[in-house]
Amino acid sequence: MYLKRHIDDYLRDWKNDSNRRPLIVKGARQVGKTESILHFADANYDHCIEINFVRDKKFLGITEDGYSAESVIKSITRIDPSLTFVPGKTLIFFDEIQANPDIATSLKFFKTDGRYDVICSGSLLGVSYRQIESNSVGYKSDYEMDSMDFHEYLWALGYDDELVEDIFSHMQSVEPLSNSFHELMYSRFLDYVILGGMPAVVKQFVETGNFGGTLEIQRQIIEDYKEDIVKYTKGLEQARILNVFNHIPVQLGKDNKKFQISKVARGARFKDYWGCIDWLNRAGITSVCYCMASPELPLKGNYDEKKYKIYFRDTGLLIAQLDDEVQYDLRANKNLGTYKGAIYESIVSEAMVKADMPLLYYKKENSTLEMDFFGRTIKNLVPIEVKAGDAHARSLKTMINSRSYPEIEWGIKIKRGNIGYENNIYTFPHYCSFLLKRFLRSKSENKVNQTGANWK
C-alpha cells in the first residue's frame, strides 16, 4: 500500500523540468523519503540504480577515484557489473547519504554530464553536511520532507482534494461547516493527533482499522532517534543531546512551556547546550519556537535566541512519550486538553512547520500578555492564539485593539468550535491548522488585487 504524499507532485514537476538538477531529499528518519522516491522511480524510469550506503557498505568508496559521473559509475559497475546505466532512462538513487555525505560532491559533475537523473536522500542531513567537501552549490536542488500532515492523512483515509477545498472555501467565506461534517473532521483529526504522521504508523492504522500495534511502532521510532544520537555524536555532546531530547515532553507539560536549560541538568548553561538544540532541529526531529523581541514586522531576526519553546515535529511521537495516565485520558476520554494544553500547541506548531511557516511566540515581561504563534500577510502581523475549548482570547483582543501594535489589525483563534468571525478575530477548528498559510496567502492576494502591492 503506497501512501500519497505532497512530494509526489514535486517529483513530477522536477522530472518535467528540462533544466532539472540533482535533487537532495532531506528529512528525519522514517518520514517516507525512500518509499516515495522508489514509487516515483518505478513510474517514471526504465532503470533505477539504488545505492543504499547503510545497507550496501561495499559502495562507500565509489568516489575514491574521482567525483566525475564517469568515475563514480565506473566504480559502481566494478563492484556490481549487473547494474545497467542507460542514458536518459536511468535514475541513480543514492540513499542514506548521511553514511557517505561525500557523495554530494559528485552532484555538480552529474549535472554537467547530463546523462542521468540523480536523487539523494537520507536522515540527519542538516548535520552531515558539515562533512561534505563541496555540496555542489548551484548544481543541486533541495527538498525537505516531514511526516504526513493532516491533508496527507486524509488522502490515506481515501478522501480526495474536494473535501479540503470545501473546508478552505468555508474558511474564506467564514461560513460554519455543518455540525455533522465538523464532528466527523474532529473525529478524524483526533485519530491523526494520536497516530501522528509517521507513514508506518498511519499504514498500520489504515490497513487494520484500529490502533493495535501503533504505539509500539511510535516508541520504536523514538528509540531509533536516540540510537541515531548515539551513533552520530560523541562524548559530552551525545549526553547533552539525549538530555534535551528526553526533557522536551517534561517541559511542555509545565504551565510555562518555555524550555529551560537549567532544568535539563545541574549547572547547565545556554552556551553549552545551544548546539544540542540546534542539532535536533537541523536533524528534523524537533522545531524551535522563539520568543519575539517585539510583536512587529519584519519577522526575520526579531526574536530573543535565549527564550524559546521546543516542539516535536510529529505530535504522535510526543504523545507516545507521555505518562500512561495521560495516554489513557487522551485515548479513552478524547481529551486533547490534557497535559496542560501542550498537545494543542504542538498540533498547531507541527502544522505550521510542515507548511513552512516560522515559529514565533510572544510573552511580555511582567505582564499576562502572551501569544502562542504569529503569521503574516503583506502588511499585517497576525497573532494566532490556540485554545483547548472556547475560552476568551484576552491577549488576542488586547493586541488587536492596542495602539502599541499598529501592524496587528486582526487575528486568528484556533479552538474546538466551528468556523466564525467576530470583532476582527477569525475562529477556526484545530483541524484547519494545516490550511493557515494558505489562508494568510489568500488574504495577501486579496490585498494585492486591491492595491497592486507585492508581498516580499
Side-chain angles (χ1 to χ4, degrees):
M1 174 187 180
Y2 178 71
L3 299 175
K4 182 180 178 182
R5 304 297 302 275
H6 292 307
I7 195 176
D8 297 343
D9 291 334
Y10 180 89
L11 291 173
R12 279 193 295 271
D13 291 342
W14 174 79
K15 179 72 166 62
N16 292 331
D17 183 357
S18 60
N19 193 36
R20 60 186 172 277
R21 296 172 291 184
L23 174 65
I24 296 182
V25 179
K26 308 175 184 180
R29 179 196 280 261
Q30 299 189 44
V31 297
K33 301 181 298 297
T34 298
E35 185 174 12
S36 293
I37 293 168
L38 290 177
H39 177 79
F40 162 74
D42 184 60
N44 291 276
Y45 294 89
D46 292 342
H47 304 277
C48 177
I49 308 300
E50 180 189 4
I51 307 294
N52 184 307
F53 290 113
V54 169
R55 181 189 64 211
D56 307 317
K57 297 186 183 301
K58 61 187 178 182
F59 291 109
L60 289 175
I62 57 176
T63 58
E64 289 180 356
D65 293 333
Y67 294 105
S68 71
E70 183 177 355
S71 294
V72 172
I73 292 171
K74 182 178 180 180
S75 295
I76 291 173
T77 54
R78 182 190 302 122
I79 296 168
D80 188 348
S82 69
L83 297 177
T84 302
F85 292 79
V86 180
K89 297 182 178 181
T90 301
L91 174 70
I92 303 173
F93 176 29
F94 294 119
D95 201 7
E96 302 286 6
I97 70 166
Q98 75 279 358
N100 188 27
D102 202 38
I103 191 65
T105 305
S106 70
L107 300 185
K108 173 181 179 179
F109 302 98
F110 273 104
K111 167 59 180 171
T112 303
D113 181 275
R115 290 176 294 166
Y116 309 100
D117 289 345
V118 180
I119 298 179
C120 300
S121 179
S123 58
L124 299 167
L125 290 184
V127 178
S128 299
Y129 268 4
R130 291 176 174 177
Q131 305 170 37
I132 297 174
E133 284 186 24
S134 168
N135 62 5
S136 299
V137 174
Y139 293 90
K140 66 176 179 63
S141 300
D142 294 280
Y143 183 94
E144 186 159 8
M145 191 172 179
D146 280 296
S147 64
M148 299 170 72
D149 67 7
F150 189 53
H151 192 166
E152 292 170 313
Y153 177 73
L154 290 173
W155 283 338
L157 296 183
Y159 294 103
D160 59 24
D161 286 335
E162 185 176 343
L163 178 141
V164 173
E165 293 306 312
D166 186 39
I167 295 173
F168 185 67
S169 68
H170 279 74
M171 292 174 68
Q172 287 184 300
S173 64
V174 204
E175 179 184 350
L177 296 155
S178 70
N179 288 333
S180 59
F181 182 82
H182 175 65
E183 291 305 321
L184 173 65
M185 284 299 99
Y186 251 111
S187 176
R188 298 288 185 264
F189 189 66
L190 174 64
D191 292 345
Y192 168 72
V193 171
I194 293 172
L195 293 166
M198 289 295 179
V201 180
V202 174
K203 187 176 294 186
Q204 173 76 8
F205 176 77
V206 172
E207 290 179 344
T208 64
N210 60 64
F211 291 88
T214 57
L215 181 58
E216 287 76 10
I217 297 173
Q218 289 171 318
R219 287 179 171 169
Q220 183 57 55
I221 291 172
I222 293 165
E223 291 305 311
D224 290 343
Y225 282 171
K226 293 180 181 180
E227 182 180 303
D228 278 350
I229 293 171
V230 172
K231 183 177 181 179
Y232 292 101
T233 60
K234 298 178 181 180
L236 189 58
E237 183 186 39
Q238 180 185 105
R240 286 173 173 170
I241 294 174
L242 282 170
N243 270 343
V244 171
F245 182 90
N246 291 329
H247 272 79
I248 295 171
V250 177
Q251 299 211 29
L252 281 176
K254 297 179 179 180
D255 289 323
N256 177 9
K257 296 174 179 59
K258 183 178 76 172
F259 196 87
Q260 295 176 286
I261 288 294
S262 61
K263 304 296 184 182
V264 172
R266 180 177 297 179
R269 297 177 299 177
F270 173 82
K271 68 176 184 178
D272 296 326
Y273 273 82
W274 174 243
C276 305
I277 296 166
D278 186 48
W279 192 98
L280 290 168
N281 196 44
R282 288 188 291 112
I285 297 172
T286 63
S287 300
V288 180
C289 181
Y290 293 101
C291 181
M292 295 185 75
S294 176
E296 60 184 5
L297 296 174
L299 297 180
K300 190 173 182 180
N302 179 20
Y303 60 84
D304 185 340
E305 66 174 11
K306 294 185 178 181
K307 295 179 181 178
Y308 51 89
K309 302 175 185 179
I310 304 178
Y311 298 100
F312 281 99
R313 288 177 78 149
D314 188 277
T315 302
L317 297 186
L318 166 66
I319 292 173
Q321 297 177 76
L322 303 182
D323 297 337
D324 290 341
E325 294 77 13
V326 177
Q327 292 262 353
Y328 177 81
D329 190 18
L330 174 62
R331 295 171 184 271
N333 302 323
K334 300 182 178 180
N335 181 14
L336 283 176
T338 189
Y339 214 60
K340 297 185 178 178
I343 295 175
Y344 281 111
E345 285 190 26
S346 183
I347 290 167
V348 178
S349 75
E350 177 186 348
M352 291 177 67
V353 168
K354 289 179 177 179
D356 197 27
M357 294 176 67
L359 293 185
L360 296 163
Y361 77 100
Y362 180 69
K363 176 69 172 73
K364 188 174 183 179
E365 294 291 341
N366 304 316
S367 171
T368 59
L369 183 66
E370 57 183 314
M371 188 52 53
D372 298 314
F373 303 104
F374 290 89
R376 70 159 301 172
T377 63
I378 293 174
K379 58 172 290 189
N380 292 126
L381 179 64
V382 183
I384 301 171
E385 192 160 5
V386 182
K387 294 293 184 182
D390 199 20
H392 294 298
R394 293 187 179 88
S395 290
L396 190 55
K397 292 178 181 178
T398 298
M399 283 193 160
I400 294 170
N401 296 325
S402 175
R403 294 182 179 179
S404 300
Y405 313 112
E407 293 167 322
I408 297 177
E409 298 178 357
W410 54 277
I412 295 174
K413 179 181 176 182
I414 308 294
K415 64 171 189 174
R416 175 64 177 86
N418 212 318
I419 293 172
Y421 178 79
E422 186 177 10
N423 298 325
N424 295 317
I425 297 175
Y426 291 89
T427 55
F428 299 129
H430 299 101
Y431 59 78
C432 290
S433 298
F434 77 102
L435 290 168
L436 280 176
K437 182 175 183 178
R438 186 176 171 187
F439 177 78
L440 291 169
R441 186 167 290 278
S442 72
K443 299 288 285 185
S444 290
E445 288 170 351
N446 289 339
K447 184 62 67 175
V448 168
N449 292 335
Q450 295 170 12
T451 67
N454 291 315
W455 186 14
K456 295 182 178 180

